[in-house]
């Protein structure tokens, strides 16, 4: 174990960022000055920021540091894809508790590096400091898009189809599984603790959805290749309900979403039953799916119907009709946001 | 007192950012989507980030929340000016402990708003979340500069003059005063605590330097007006020694700085003596001055000599000579970084 004090703040930053290589022409100067210097003469610049606090957004009992770094980066990339853009640069600030070693921080950076590698993003700066308590991460991602390509939440029109990528609720179910194992682990007598190994066999997908989400660049590329331009788009971080309400509010419209069309993974459904949870509630309010939610003109119906890993779940309506969920039995309910990260 | 839960995360963000108005043409879309959207067709984009943790960077016992917001913004603006740029957008992430009310957060935002107003910067996004412990702030500032204007740390050349704006060590001395008063306050019997008022009469300047620093846009403008283009520049956040070493390392040069030329305020000197501290050590290693340190070609000697609030403190030398301080008695010492924020 190497103490952080052995390297000092600047030594640590140099040690951590040394392995990152800049790949983008827009990165003029990365780490090492008062500011990073970027160049975006022909594109609009997209900026998004996320803060992750230990004890609120993650629990180090079941979150490996490498996964934490990976996820923190992906979550930011997801916001850029949700604007129909391409992430290019990442700025990372870390506040570290006293118990952190250089090796611990290296693990976080290894996760960041993998995510940056996969999405061809440059690490261009940040800040590393101490924390009297837990770990805090704050990431800012900078991306680009041609001005005409940027897709806001505000462009949805009546009769547009509402689509979502992948499936929903799996990350939330993964979190529930890990919380359950943590309780089991903590209630065990101390002498058994080391032998205790959680049994997640057959549930790996759910854990991966929570610990290691993938920002859906593939969906953005698929839409582009098919010549489909969404009228509104955002990523599902707080939960489908919450995001639908954002689009309705920003676009001054209502929506009609069909419960039976909400895409679910088999493991999500099985685990929900086992844990006595309503799977639709989990899909609507679970959050952290990092799938893309978007609306397309009715004329693109065939194209999105045929698109791999995309489901049409409903349609945009007049504002006066409000945001509605049509249940399996035909009953209608008003959609409400109940994200699990709320205050 | 209004509970944050009464407004919810999105209600709170809306409530706080409502009073901010965008002023810059480069801000296409601010708060309210997955990303902010900016446009910089003719300029290079500068990005800087800072994280401030309760208990490490600030102590709420003597830091009013409004000052905290103001300072957090100024610290970021300072980094942009240090590249010879103009700050334009600010992204603010906050993690709030449970004891925080809406009114508390409003105070932080009031400070942010004042700083943004003064420097004509737009608040374009951020993240607000809970913290299990203290307050954490993470700010990212985006600025601009014509490509040819950007000044790095790496451009200093042999024989260049080393200049610094304002005076040094005052913020550190302000911090010492407040730490002393805090100790006095805490050691007093409880019944006296309310009546106890710290006596800072005559020392207001030192407190202000620590609590309410001003990013030196005026210096950047003064240099531009005088036709002086620094060869290297950075801001003094960790302390003069540390920053000189950064410039020497990045520019592959040495330096010779004269102790007697380091600009000090009268109150800094008096208070150092009173507190039994070496004033030069405070000026070299205190940090948080947010003054500008820069090097100019020897041919600009007359111009910088006449410049208001700018002092020439030494010269750049060959790399082999290393970073040297010439003491008042003529003795030479190697400069070492000993920032007070270190791990």
């Amino acid at each position: 174990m190497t103490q952080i004090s052995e390297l000092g703040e600047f030594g640590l930053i140099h040690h951590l960022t040394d392995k990152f290589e800049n790949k983008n022409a827009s990165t003029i100067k990365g780490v090492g000055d008062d500011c990073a210097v970027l160049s975006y003469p022909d594109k609009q610049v997209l900026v998004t920021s996320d803060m992750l606090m230990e004890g609120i957004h993650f629990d180090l009992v079941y979150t490996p540091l490498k996964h934490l770094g990976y996820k923190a980066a992906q979550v930011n990339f997801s916001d850029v894809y949700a604007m129909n853009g391409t992430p290019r640069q990442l700025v990372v600030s870390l506040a570290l508790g006293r118990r952190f070693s250089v090796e611990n921080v290296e693990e976080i950076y290894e996760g960041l590096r993998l995510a940056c590698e996969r999405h061809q993003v440059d690490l261009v700066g940040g800040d590393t400091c101490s924390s009297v308590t837990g770990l805090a991460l704050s990431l800012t991602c900078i991306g680009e898009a041609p001005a005409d390509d940027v897709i806001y939440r505000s462009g949805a029109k009546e009769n547009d189809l509402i689509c979502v990528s992948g499936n929903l609720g799996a990350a939330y179910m993964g979190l529930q599984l890990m919380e359950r194992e943590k309780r089991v682990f903590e209630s065990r007598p101390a002498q058994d603790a080391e032998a205790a190994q959680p049994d997640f066999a057959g549930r790996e997908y759910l854990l991966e959805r929570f610990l290691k989400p993938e920002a859906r660049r593939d969906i953005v590329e698929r839409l582009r290749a098919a010549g489909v331009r969404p009228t509104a788009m955002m990523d599902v971080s707080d939960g489908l309900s919450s995001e639908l309400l954002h689009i309705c509010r920003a676009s001054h419209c209502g929506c009609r979403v069909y419960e039976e069309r909400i895409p679910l993974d088999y493991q999500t459904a099985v685990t929900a039953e086992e844990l006595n949870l309503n799977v639709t509630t989990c899909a609507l309010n679970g959050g952290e799916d990092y799938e893309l939610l978007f609306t397309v003109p009715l004329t693109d119906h065939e194209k999105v119907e045929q698109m791999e890993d995309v489901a049409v779940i409903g349609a945009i309506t007049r504002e006066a009709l409000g945001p509605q969920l049509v249940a399996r039995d035909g009953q209608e309910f008003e959609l409400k946001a109940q994200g699990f990260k709320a205050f």
Side-chain angles (χ1 to χ4, degrees), chain A:
Chain A
M1 285 294 215
T2 316
Q3 297 286 316
I4 286 174
S5 54
E6 289 174 43
L7 295 179
E9 182 184 350
F10 300 113
L12 179 66
I13 291 176
H14 181 77
H15 176 72
L16 295 169
T17 57
D18 212 23
K19 291 164 212 152
F20 287 76
E21 228 172 83
N22 292 338
K23 306 157 199 88
N24 293 302
S26 51
T27 306
I28 308 297
K29 167 82 185 175
V31 176
D33 217 302
D34 293 286
C35 294
V37 183
L38 316 177
S39 174
Y40 283 108
D42 316 314
K43 303 278 173 69
Q44 285 194 341
V45 185
L46 307 171
V47 181
T48 180
S49 208
D50 262 295
M51 199 158 191
L52 298 171
M53 302 294 291
E54 183 176 345
I56 303 289
H57 301 97
F58 59 90
D59 186 332
L60 290 180
V61 169
Y62 51 68
T63 310
L65 290 170
K66 187 170 158 183
H67 285 73
L68 180 63
Y70 188 86
K71 179 171 176 173
Q74 292 280 359
V75 164
N76 276 275
F77 301 163
S78 181
D79 277 321
V80 175
Y81 292 126
M83 303 291 289
N84 201 26
T86 307
R88 295 295 187 198
Q89 285 92 15
L90 191 64
V91 178
V92 177
S93 292
L94 286 179
L96 305 165
R98 280 174 214 289
R99 69 184 187 285
F100 271 78
S101 67
V102 171
E103 287 76 11
N104 292 150
V105 194
E106 278 173 347
E107 281 179 68
I108 300 175
Y109 267 76
E110 184 54 22
L112 290 167
R113 204 186 54 76
L114 270 178
C116 284
E117 192 81 21
R118 189 164 288 193
H119 291 265
Q120 295 287 297
V121 170
D122 298 336
L123 184 87
V124 297
D127 198 12
T128 309
C129 63
S130 311
S131 153
V132 284
T133 54
L135 176 64
L137 283 97
S138 176
L139 276 72
T140 300
C141 183
I142 294 128
E144 59 166 58
D148 294 340
D149 286 9
V150 178
I151 298 176
Y152 295 92
R153 299 175 179 179
S154 55
K157 297 267 175 301
E158 200 184 336
N159 299 324
D160 280 357
L161 297 172
I162 301 171
C163 308
V164 71
S165 66
N167 60 69
L168 302 175
Y172 181 70
M173 218 53 78
L175 173 62
Q176 299 313 311
L177 279 179
M178 283 185 297
E179 288 281 357
R180 186 180 64 170
E181 287 299 320
K182 185 184 169 187
R183 283 191 299 269
V184 169
F185 180 83
E186 285 175 348
S187 65
R188 228 168 266 199
Q191 65 267 33
D192 292 4
E194 234 172 295
Q197 278 297 319
D199 180 19
F200 292 132
R203 306 291 161 85
E204 293 83 358
Y205 176 71
L206 301 180
L207 302 186
E208 196 174 305
R209 283 304 299 256
F210 181 73
L211 290 175
K212 206 168 162 294
E214 288 294 329
R216 302 298 312 251
R217 176 180 52 186
D218 57 337
I219 298 294
V220 170
E221 287 171 350
R222 211 165 287 164
L223 288 165
R224 224 171 273 160
V228 177
R229 191 194 188 284
T231 48
M233 185 152 65
M234 63 185 299
D235 72 333
V236 182
S237 53
D238 293 319
L240 180 64
S241 282
S242 171
E243 319 306 7
L244 281 168
L245 291 175
H246 278 305
I247 287 184
C248 286
R249 203 169 304 131
S251 298
H252 302 288
C253 63
C255 71
R256 233 175 121 79
V257 166
Y258 297 87
E259 183 185 6
E260 61 187 5
R261 297 213 188 164
I262 295 173
L264 301 170
D265 181 76
Y266 175 74
Q267 285 187 30
T268 307
V270 170
T271 309
E273 203 167 310
E274 191 186 312
L275 298 178
N276 229 338
L277 295 166
N278 180 310
V279 69
T280 301
T281 307
C282 295
L284 285 171
N285 300 321
E288 303 235 9
D289 299 302
Y290 301 107
E291 296 294 345
L292 290 174
L293 172 69
F294 53 94
T295 58
V296 300
L298 194 53
T299 47
D300 283 327
H301 187 224
E302 230 168 293
K303 287 180 186 170
V304 290
E305 277 288 354
Q306 289 164 2
M307 208 167 277
E308 202 195 316
D309 218 18
V310 166
V312 178
I313 59 169
I316 295 294
T317 59
R318 286 203 316 277
E319 188 167 19
L321 297 176
Q324 300 291 326
L325 177 76
V326 184
R328 283 199 176 78
D329 62 6
Q331 276 203 65
E332 292 196 20
F333 297 92
E334 195 187 330
L335 277 173
K336 288 200 173 105
Q338 292 166 313
F340 76 107
K341 288 200 311 188
F343 277 100

